[in-house]
Amino acid sequence: MKKATIIGAGLTGLTTAYYLKKAGWKVTILEKDTRTGGAIHTHREDGFVFESGPNTGMISHPEVAELFEELGNQVEVEPANEEAKRRLIWKEGRWHDLPSCMKAGIKTPLFSWRDKLRLLTEPFRKPGKNPDETLAEMVKRRMGKSFLDYAVDPFILGIYAGDPSQLVTRYALPKLYNLEQNYGSFIKGTFKKHSELIREKKNDPELYNYHKKANKKMFSMAGGLDNLVNALTGKFEEEEILLGCDNLTICPANNIFTAKFEHRGETKLMESDALITTTGAHEVPNILPFLRDDEKQKITNLIYAKVVQVAIGYKEWRGIPLKAFGGLVPSREHRDVLGVLFLSAFLKNRAPKGGALLSVFLGGVRNPEMVNLTDEEIEKLVFPELQKMMMVTDRKPELLRIFRHTHAIPQYGVSTGERIKAVEDIQNHFPGLLLGGNLRDGIGMADRIKQGVTMAKELDEIFEKKATSQNSEIQQD
Ligand SMILES: Cc1cc2nc3c(=O)[nH]c(=O)nc-3n(C[C@H](O)[C@H](O)[C@H](O)COP(=O)(O)OP(=O)(O)OC[C@H]3O[C@@H](n4cnc5c(N)ncnc54)[C@H](O)[C@@H]3O)c2cc1C
């Protein structure tokens, strides 16, 4: 039986291991922490259900829908309600709706008249030639500065806690990059993609139905995202997930990977035919000490945004009406918070009846030092913002929990190309070794699931080929 060791029991590691096990592999997951889930972590306190990591994901790849189908009634996928379609942007002292239709787009004070008119000529503007163009450069070139400041910048704060002038479009938002490169314009591309889908429906209904599984709907899990983690964890026997593995290192020799680690006070050695890492980039040199220094450097060049997430719960809400997904604060507004999610407005049972659960984000690549603030200093920053933006009274919330993430969201900037190349070279040099996790292939939960499915398939194919060529060699002998 083929044996695979998977490092990390976050969403990527669990998904990869699940599909490998399904394909007949003997799997062992080695996890440093004493729990599974990695960044996904649900907390339950005093009638509030809140997350310290991701809050919602999007069904943006068919693989996500298929995983949920696989898990069946072991998970209850909770779609966000209609309120979540409304997004607010802070400008000059108040919230404005992010326009969701042409009419609203014309009326909104978020964008300048010049840029609104300029948008009419977007389909006629030439595609960019620099493959490493940043998102800020691209948006300014195609849409104008006010769209960058009041649509793309807050959008990037919400997803990456990042800065559009540091993210390279083809890595950070590949779909947007491809729209321009393949169709010449965002607007033309959106229409053409739609008509391609209609053609596909007629010519290849099976493929069409597969693509349609990626319905772009926002999801959480009833009762919290850790229910997804629990359902996946439940697919393994106790001995298949080893928690609390310390000082883990790998040594490759003769097509075998030997993991050495400490577990429950003992040093253990474990051999396998294949090895998959799913940790952040910064952990890779510790786990794979045999890599060359230049390879390690190319991988650890990846910058992670540092984020402070504050869960705030009121048993009785008296602030502004919470009828939206939340509000984002553009960098141009120079405020202390990046954004506020109105979680109890679009997910069920997150706060006691009549109350509210908010999640406030601070820090990001522009203010990384915020993770070093004390709880008291963070509270001092957050409350005046809540008073101003959410109209809450001086009253202290019933729930206040502060979470600091020093390696929250990877920023796919200019170093991405050489990192991906280094990963490819390493994988070619050590067949059976795959370097996954968020150092490549996307930052969201949906990307992690897709990568897990893809890596399991890739590994299975590598070993199928190996077995076939070994069989034919034996027959020739
Ligand atoms: C604050 C925050 C908010 C987010 N918000 C969203 C959101 O709203 N929507 C969304 O889609 N995504 C969001 N994300 C991203 C999402 O959480 C991640 O993409 C996803 O959970 C990462 O899964 P992973 O398995 O790749 O990595 P991780 O969850 O980081 O798992 C890696 C695992 O490897 C383990 N590990 C590390 N080093 C070692 C070692 N040396 N030995 C053994 N094990 C090791 C870790 O303990 C961890 O369990 C957010 C992330 C953060 C931090």
Side-chain angles (χ1 to χ4, degrees):
M1 203 176 186
K2 295 160 292 182
K3 243 185 111 186
T5 301
I6 296 100
I7 300 177
L11 189 54
T12 313
L14 290 170
T15 307
T16 314
Y18 170 70
Y19 282 101
L20 277 174
K21 184 173 174 180
K22 207 177 156 206
W25 286 69
K26 182 173 172 6
V27 296
T28 310
I29 306 178
L30 304 180
E31 167 58 52
K32 184 167 75 170
D33 207 341
T34 51
R35 48 173 274 280
T36 58
I40 301 174
H41 199 171
T42 310
H43 307 257
R44 296 167 182 89
E45 243 176 70
D46 205 14
F48 296 97
V49 178
F50 54 100
E51 311 279 349
S52 55
N55 282 288
T56 56
M58 195 190 275
I59 306 182
S60 48
H61 306 298
E63 288 84 352
V64 180
E66 290 194 331
L67 177 66
F68 294 166
E69 281 166 24
E70 287 273 334
L71 296 174
N73 58 14
Q74 285 140 52
V75 289
E76 195 186 330
V77 180
E78 184 184 357
N81 71 19
E82 283 299 294
E83 308 286 9
K85 287 193 177 151
R86 195 169 159 235
R87 313 281 166 119
L88 307 175
I89 305 285
W90 187 260
K91 185 175 182 185
E92 291 162 5
R94 69 180 195 89
W95 294 115
H96 300 271
D97 280 55
L98 185 69
S100 56
C101 66
M102 179 80 94
K103 197 172 151 199
I106 293 168
K107 282 180 155 174
T108 181
L110 289 174
F111 314 127
S112 70
W113 277 108
R114 189 167 170 270
D115 286 346
K116 286 179 196 169
L117 288 170
R118 226 178 138 219
L119 208 54
L120 297 173
T121 58
E122 193 273 340
F124 310 104
R125 220 155 280 146
K126 284 196 187 126
K129 290 204 177 108
N130 171 13
D132 280 346
E133 187 175 37
T134 66
L135 187 57
E137 287 165 341
M138 187 198 211
V139 172
K140 261 196 279 181
R141 179 169 56 72
R142 294 209 74 84
M143 302 169 81
K145 178 93 168 62
S146 64
F147 280 98
L148 172 64
D149 289 341
Y150 286 97
V152 175
D153 174 277
F155 171 73
I156 288 300
L157 283 179
I159 297 181
Y160 274 90
D163 173 356
S165 67
Q166 290 177 34
L167 294 170
V168 171
T169 318
R170 77 176 156 133
Y171 303 121
L173 295 179
K175 285 185 182 163
L176 189 74
Y177 178 76
N178 290 335
L179 272 188
E180 190 195 40
Q181 291 302 311
N182 298 340
Y183 306 96
S185 122
F186 302 156
I187 295 175
K188 270 198 294 199
T190 309
F191 283 112
K192 285 201 179 154
K193 278 207 101 169
H194 185 68
S195 38
E196 274 173 17
L197 261 184
I198 291 171
R199 251 198 320 276
E200 187 177 275
K201 187 177 181 182
K202 229 166 137 192
N203 300 336
D204 192 345
E206 209 177 311
L207 187 64
Y208 171 80
N209 285 332
Y210 174 70
H211 284 150
K212 246 189 67 180
K213 286 185 178 188
N215 59 17
K216 310 276 190 295
K217 287 202 172 136
M218 192 182 285
F219 72 86
S220 177
M221 293 289 146
L225 276 169
D226 67 352
N227 286 321
L228 171 61
V229 172
N230 295 341
L232 276 166
T233 306
K235 295 288 177 186
F236 301 96
E237 304 297 327
E238 215 181 302
E239 65 275 13
E240 289 174 319
I241 306 184
L242 302 189
L243 299 174
C245 298
D246 279 328
N247 301 324
L248 171 63
T249 54
I250 304 297
C251 176
N254 305 324
N255 293 328
I256 295 288
F257 298 93
T258 306
K260 184 179 174 195
F261 55 96
E262 274 143 42
H263 185 242
R264 295 186 181 154
E266 279 178 44
T267 301
K268 293 196 174 166
L269 294 176
M270 183 180 283
E271 290 189 344
S272 58
D273 308 291
L275 183 108
I276 303 180
T277 66
T278 70
T279 69
H282 47 287
E283 287 283 348
V284 170
N286 300 331
I287 299 169
L288 308 177
F290 57 88
L291 296 182
R292 291 196 319 260
D293 284 349
D294 64 307
E295 290 170 333
K296 288 179 189 165
Q297 179 75 51
K298 283 173 189 163
I299 290 169
T300 53
N301 269 347
L302 178 60
I303 293 167
Y304 282 78
K306 298 178 182 186
V307 170
V308 179
Q309 183 170 186
V310 189
I312 295 180
Y314 288 92
K315 289 198 169 164
E316 200 185 322
W317 178 249
R318 295 205 212 109
I320 62 167
L322 299 175
K323 286 182 183 262
F325 177 71
L328 289 163
V329 185
S331 319
R332 271 200 67 144
E333 295 291 314
H334 303 291
R335 301 208 65 94
D336 286 325
V337 305
L338 304 175
V340 187
L341 294 183
F342 306 168
L343 291 158
S344 52
F346 59 90
L347 294 174
K348 288 184 205 135
N349 305 323
R350 301 297 161 130
K353 206 165 181 285
L357 174 72
L358 307 174
S359 191
V360 179
F361 291 88
L362 298 95
V365 288
R366 287 200 171 101
N367 299 300
E369 70 286 352
M370 290 228 179
V371 285
N372 302 324
L373 299 180
T374 62
D375 283 5
E376 209 179 17
E377 286 167 329
I378 289 172
E379 282 181 39
K380 270 192 187 151
L381 287 181
V382 169
F383 282 114
E385 294 290 62
L386 283 184
Q387 281 172 354
K388 171 125 184 115
M389 295 179 170
M390 308 300 296
M391 305 283 185
V392 294
T393 56
D394 239 340
R395 196 170 57 98
K396 278 249 173 192
E398 279 79 14
L399 173 82
L400 185 122
R401 287 284 305 276
I402 298 171
F403 304 97
R404 295 170 182 82
H405 303 273
T406 50
H407 291 90
I409 314 282
Q411 308 292 306
Y412 296 163
V414 282
S415 65
T416 306
E418 61 173 29
R419 183 175 64 259
I420 290 173
K421 173 80 174 55
V423 168
E424 277 168 12
D425 291 347
I426 294 166
Q427 294 183 166
N428 288 336
H429 196 204
F430 298 98
L433 170 64
L434 294 182
L435 270 71
N438 62 16
L439 56 88
R440 62 181 172 103
D441 299 337
I443 60 163
M445 288 188 286
D447 303 314
R448 308 290 78 243
I449 291 172
K450 181 179 175 181
Q451 190 194 55
V453 175
T454 311
M455 289 197 300
K457 241 187 239 165
E458 220 175 306
L459 208 56
D460 208 36
E461 279 167 14
I462 294 172
F463 278 78
E464 280 289 308
K465 267 194 208 145
K466 219 169 156 181
T468 317
S469 77
Q470 274 168 355
N471 279 345
S472 66
E473 273 170 28
I474 292 168
Q475 278 170 7
Q476 276 168 13
D477 286 348

